[in-house]
Amino acid sequence: MQNVLKTLVSKRFIILTVSGVALFLAISLFNISLWYVLLAGVTLGLIFGKVFCRWICPMGLIMELLLSISPDGKFRQMYQYHKLGCPIAWISGFLNRFSLFKIELNRESCKNCGICDEKCYIVAMEPAKFSLYKPKGIRPGDSYACSKCLECVAVCPNDSLTYKM
Ligand code: SF4
Ligand code: SF4
């Protein structure tokens, strides 16, 4: 399961491109109401947390393309962290605390290497507040800003971070 998740994370941009274009075409060609898209985003939020923005959303795809040509990586982190303006992001970000799937830490196997924190844009923005492994850090995966990129889970060399029910 962990290997499947790592493969998915490594292909995330391809998945976002395919699903973002497919959703855009479906909305345009079949005149699908945005209420249905909102309902789908919220349902996914209940199960997986805020996955819509970075795995499915056409606007998310456009923003990632624009920001990929930005020379300033800090600006990219700020966008991810402060993403506002979309009701799906608001609601599913709120649902990160209550979703069925969550990012869990196994403290027994964790070697405190800190690689997970280095990958997380939330920790990068507020390192004194958030951490995926430090006992006193607030877990970024439960915060509104976590868009479930799952880079933290994929990068852990000991599989100490998992994303599961
Ligand atoms: S990358 Fe894995 S082993 Fe390293 S600190 Fe994070 S959870 Fe622990
Ligand atoms: S999935 Fe992990 S790396 Fe990505 S934003 Fe959430 S906590 Fe940070």
Side-chain angles (χ1 to χ4, degrees), residues 5-113:
L5 191 133
K6 286 182 184 187
T7 305
L8 286 174
V9 171
S10 71
K11 310 276 186 243
R12 186 191 63 80
F13 190 71
I14 297 172
I15 296 170
L16 172 65
T17 304
V18 171
S19 52
V21 170
L23 181 58
F24 176 76
L25 289 175
I27 292 169
S28 311
L29 298 178
F30 302 110
N31 220 7
I32 293 174
S33 165
L34 288 178
W35 288 108
Y36 288 120
V37 180
L38 178 64
L39 183 66
V42 172
T43 306
L44 284 171
L46 275 169
I47 301 169
F48 299 109
K50 193 166 69 167
V51 291
F52 191 85
C53 305
R54 299 197 72 180
W55 292 86
I56 300 168
C57 179
M59 278 308 294
L61 172 62
I62 291 168
M63 287 306 295
E64 283 204 33
L65 284 170
L66 287 175
L67 292 172
S68 68
I69 55 175
S70 151
D72 189 349
K74 193 81 180 165
F75 184 61
R76 198 155 51 236
Q77 286 171 346
M78 284 175 66
Y79 160 70
Q80 298 295 2
Y81 189 62
H82 295 292
K83 212 181 289 156
L84 296 171
C86 168
I88 296 177
W90 296 339
I91 299 170
S92 56
F94 169 76
L95 290 173
N96 272 339
R97 279 171 186 268
F98 309 103
S99 58
L100 287 177
F101 276 74
K102 284 191 172 291
I103 298 167
E104 300 289 349
L105 171 68
N106 180 346
R107 287 206 183 277
E108 308 257 302
S109 61
C110 174
K111 304 281 185 238
N112 298 319
C113 65

Side-chain angles (χ1 to χ4, degrees), residues 103 116 119-122 132 140-141 145-152:
I103 298 167
C116 49
K119 274 286 175 183
C120 179
Y121 57 82
I122 298 173
L132 283 142
C146 174
S147 296
K148 296 294 178 288
C149 65
L150 300 178
E151 296 276 351
C152 53

Side-chain angles (χ1 to χ4, degrees), residues 104-107 109-118 131-134 152-153 155-162:
E104 300 289 349
L105 171 68
N106 180 346
R107 287 206 183 277
S109 61
C110 174
K111 304 281 185 238
N112 298 319
C113 65
I115 297 173
C116 49
D117 275 3
E118 286 168 20
S131 175
L132 283 142
Y133 72 99
K134 292 176 188 164
C152 53
V153 177
V155 83
C156 176
N158 304 313
D159 291 341
S160 301
L161 287 167
T162 50

